[in-house]
Amino acid sequence: MAKRKNGRKGSKFFRVFSLLFSILLILITALLIIQLIRLNVLPIFFVLPISIILVTITLLFVIFLVFKSKKGLSRFIFSILVLILSFVYSVGNYYLFETNKAFDSVTNLTTKITNTLSVRVMNDTISDEQQLSGKTLGYFSSMDVDDLSRLSSALQSDGIEYSSISYDDIFEMVDDLYNGYIDGILFNESFSGVITSDETYSMFVNRTTPVYSTTYYTDNEKNIEDSLDDVSVDSEPFTILISGNDSYGQFSENSRSDMNMLVTVNPKTATVLMTSIPRDYYVPIAELTDGYSDQELYDKLTHSGLYGVQTTEKTIENFLNTEINYYVRVNFSSLINLVDAIGGVDVYVEPGLAVDAFYADTTLGGVNEGWNHLNGKQALAFSRERHAYIDGDNQRVRNQQIVLKALISSLTKPTMLLNYPNFVSALSGAFETNMPAASISKLLKFEFGNFPKWQFESTSLIGYDGNDFCASLGTYAYVLVPDELSIQTTHDKIEAVRQGGSSNDVEERNAEG
């Protein structure tokens, strides 16, 4: 009698156990399907059968566990199988959750721009902001009038009275600070990269200290909305600007556009054209005028990033006479984190292009002729290298294309499945784009629904060394003067891809002409 009661108790316990685990599995399955639909990157003819398969497997396991398993061994086996299936579905839910979060992150545009204004002094000279009273501070005449007024007001409200000197040449101002002719400078921190880009002043940030600073935020109004040039990316050609900021961390501050690349995609012909533009290209900066004739001022393309990625986009559209539909904004941290997340990238270095030690960081070594496996920091240093090459800036943009191709190649390898969690984690916050989420989903559906064999083509704008007046510096500096034929040829190549042809056709026509 006791054994029968124990048997009944065991059966009752198993029924309760089976019911609870069945409900849990059903809930996990439902959540998995909901997240798969919410991700919205797979065509319906994939989502529907996948959902049916998931539901069918779940129902079969539930039926066998609750109704068919009568004996102890079968109960045990199906219980273990249900646990395993629940774990697998839970992992799938985690992957989809992280992927959805990453998509939300990259399409959630920065609506506030951080502006940091400071008073920089030489190290070990002034240790307290109150010591600024009675001192002489320099400021760059091209500094935004509102910024100068805001910083001056903040100093005065803190009881700091000072005299000031205006400089038309930003490097002359830094020289006077170094030589002790002035005690400090009124400074917008976004210009730090402008100063350190000159080798003579590469240690500016290390030699000086912001003894006083104030921060304010402005609405990034142009970033709040998605692209106004949105197209049907699964059927119409489009161009994306990839703009790489020379900064680390988040995208809440404007800084120089250290890398600029146009990616023109024609989904009908499965052709992708990568167009690299030298950072020192000497061009009229959109909406940057002298205030009198409203004539746009010339400067290095890299300095356009100081006024926002939209200025960079408009500047390139103007001098190339082409339409850019979207932008993708990345920075130094983006590349480092993404490359490290997939276990590094393999790049091929042509004969004669080996580098003994990267200029950006000599501790990282360099690259040899042939294949090289690079981690994140090495890939960044390779992308920024120009000092080791006779062709300087032109070779640097080629290196950037090499790294981008290597990154895409790594993403298509089977080992990517093992690195997927790390990659998705790195993807979140790695870049921002004004391509609408719906367009991203449409493009991914096109990829997974058709698996087109993409044909990658590349080109680079070229120029010749020059020394010209740069508006953001207030003085003459090294620039790369555009080759007008190169600009026209590049325009024609982009249009050729947009019209359904190949950029190589343009080269052949020019050669015949």
Side-chain angles (χ1 to χ4, degrees):
M1 183 67 71
K3 288 183 178 180
R4 186 175 297 176
K5 287 182 178 179
N6 288 335
R8 288 175 181 173
K9 288 181 179 179
S11 294
K12 185 177 181 180
F13 173 78
F14 175 74
R15 283 195 297 272
V16 173
F17 173 86
S18 301
L19 185 60
L20 290 175
F21 268 79
S22 297
I23 293 173
L24 178 63
L25 180 58
I26 291 172
L27 291 175
I28 293 175
T29 304
L31 181 60
L32 185 62
I33 294 173
I34 290 172
Q35 290 211 85
L36 186 63
I37 295 172
R38 178 175 174 267
L39 185 60
N40 197 28
V41 300
L42 293 177
I44 188 63
F45 58 80
F46 276 177
V47 174
L48 189 59
I50 289 175
S51 300
I52 293 174
I53 291 172
L54 291 174
V55 171
T56 302
I57 293 175
T58 297
L59 289 177
L60 287 175
F61 272 74
V62 168
I63 290 171
F64 275 98
L65 178 62
V66 177
F67 301 106
K68 298 297 183 180
S69 299
K70 302 296 184 181
K71 297 182 180 180
L73 180 60
S74 63
R75 290 175 178 175
F76 176 77
I77 292 175
F78 273 98
S79 296
I80 295 299
L81 290 175
V82 167
L83 286 174
I84 293 174
L85 189 62
S86 298
F87 174 77
V88 171
Y89 283 6
S90 296
V91 172
N93 267 304
Y94 170 74
Y95 277 18
L96 288 176
F97 174 78
E98 290 296 322
T99 304
N100 271 309
K101 189 168 71 172
F103 276 125
D104 290 341
S105 172
V106 300
T107 56
N108 184 21
L109 296 175
T110 301
T111 58
K112 294 288 185 180
I113 292 295
T114 303
N115 302 270
T116 303
L117 308 176
S118 67
V119 179
R120 277 193 171 266
V121 300
M122 296 300 295
N123 293 339
D124 303 322
T125 57
I126 298 175
S127 58
D128 183 82
E129 61 187 52
Q130 293 303 322
Q131 295 177 12
L132 291 173
S133 290
K135 302 298 185 183
T136 301
L137 307 179
Y139 68 91
F140 184 36
S141 60
S142 293
M143 184 177 181
D144 186 87
V145 175
D146 291 336
D147 283 351
L148 181 61
S149 176
R150 183 178 277 104
L151 181 54
S152 298
S153 297
L155 288 165
Q156 290 173 6
S157 65
D158 288 335
I160 300 172
E161 299 293 338
Y162 63 92
S163 59
S164 61
I165 299 177
S166 175
Y167 290 86
D168 293 331
D169 183 333
I170 196 170
F171 294 123
E172 181 184 352
M173 179 179 70
V174 175
D175 280 334
D176 279 2
L177 176 64
Y178 282 1
N179 294 322
Y181 299 137
I182 55 177
D183 301 297
I185 57 175
L186 303 168
F187 192 64
N188 186 319
E189 289 295 331
S190 65
F191 276 74
S192 294
V194 174
I195 296 174
T196 56
S197 64
D198 189 298
E199 293 180 25
T200 305
Y201 308 95
S202 61
M203 297 300 291
F204 168 75
V205 174
N206 302 89
R207 295 183 62 183
T208 62
T209 302
V211 72
Y212 180 92
S213 63
T214 182
T215 300
Y216 71 96
Y217 302 90
T218 54
D219 289 332
N220 193 9
E221 296 176 358
K222 296 179 181 178
N223 259 3
I224 296 175
E225 296 182 352
D226 290 330
S227 171
L228 299 178
D229 299 315
D230 188 32
V231 298
S232 296
V233 294
D234 57 348
S235 59
E236 298 179 64
F238 58 93
T239 297
I240 302 173
L241 164 65
I242 300 179
S243 180
N245 287 14
D246 67 336
S247 62
Y248 295 86
Q250 301 302 311
F251 298 97
S252 57
E253 293 187 2
N254 290 326
S255 60
R256 293 181 308 158
S257 52
D258 197 62
M259 183 270 282
N260 294 288
M261 182 185 298
L262 299 183
V263 179
T264 303
V265 181
N266 190 322
K268 288 185 177 180
T269 60
T271 303
V272 178
L273 172 64
M274 294 185 294
T275 303
S276 290
I277 310 172
R279 48 163 286 180
D280 291 330
Y281 231 39
Y282 191 60
V283 293
I285 305 299
E287 301 176 2
L288 180 62
T289 66
D290 56 14
Y292 300 101
S293 64
D294 288 332
Q295 186 76 22
E296 289 181 342
L297 300 177
Y298 276 71
D299 207 332
K300 300 182 183 185
L301 178 61
T302 182
H303 292 163
S304 66
L306 296 170
Y307 312 101
V309 65
Q310 299 84 7
T311 299
T312 302
E313 178 180 339
K314 187 64 177 176
T315 297
I316 296 173
E317 283 185 326
N318 288 347
F319 81 79
L320 269 180
N321 190 27
T322 191
E323 181 183 65
I324 298 175
N325 302 92
Y326 314 101
Y327 69 76
V328 173
R329 193 176 175 215
V330 299
N331 61 18
F332 290 167
S333 300
S334 308
L335 182 61
I336 292 173
N337 294 337
L338 288 175
V339 170
D340 284 340
I342 60 176
V345 293
D346 296 314
V347 301
Y348 186 81
V349 177
E350 297 287 346
L353 297 178
V355 178
D356 294 330
F358 295 125
Y359 179 82
D361 189 343
T362 56
T363 64
L364 298 173
V367 287
N368 302 312
E369 293 180 358
W371 286 103
N372 296 259
H373 186 77
L374 307 180
N375 61 27
K377 289 184 177 180
Q378 290 171 323
L380 174 61
F382 179 66
S383 299
R384 300 179 64 197
E385 184 61 52
R386 68 180 174 89
H387 294 273
Y389 305 117
I390 296 176
D391 208 9
D393 211 25
N394 291 321
Q395 183 58 44
R396 170 163 53 186
V397 297
R398 297 189 196 101
N399 287 358
Q400 291 166 359
Q401 290 184 350
I402 291 172
V403 171
L404 181 60
K405 288 179 182 178
L407 185 59
I408 294 173
S409 176
S410 296
L411 295 178
T412 61
K413 293 180 180 178
T415 53
M416 180 59 197
L417 293 175
L418 298 176
N419 294 322
Y420 184 76
N422 292 332
F423 177 75
V424 170
S425 177
L427 188 65
S428 181
F431 62 91
E432 67 173 20
T433 178
N434 67 341
M435 177 182 281
S439 294
I440 296 177
S441 297
K442 187 180 292 185
L443 185 59
L444 290 172
K445 283 181 180 180
F446 173 77
E447 170 65 26
F448 293 129
N450 298 277
F451 292 106
K453 295 181 180 179
W454 294 103
Q455 176 65 39
F456 286 90
E457 300 174 358
S458 62
T459 187
S460 300
L461 284 157
I462 61 173
Y464 52 91
D465 295 341
N467 192 68
D468 283 283
F469 185 84
C470 296
S472 296
L473 301 176
T475 186
Y476 285 76
Y478 167 81
V479 298
L480 197 67
V481 180
D483 180 286
E484 292 302 325
L485 177 59
S486 172
I487 290 178
Q488 184 60 50
T489 300
T490 299
H491 165 83
D492 293 346
K493 287 185 175 185
I494 293 174
E495 289 305 308
V497 172
R498 281 180 169 274
Q499 297 302 321
S502 167
S503 64
N504 298 325
D505 298 338
V506 175
E507 289 184 355
E508 292 175 4
R509 286 202 306 270
N510 288 351
E512 292 174 359

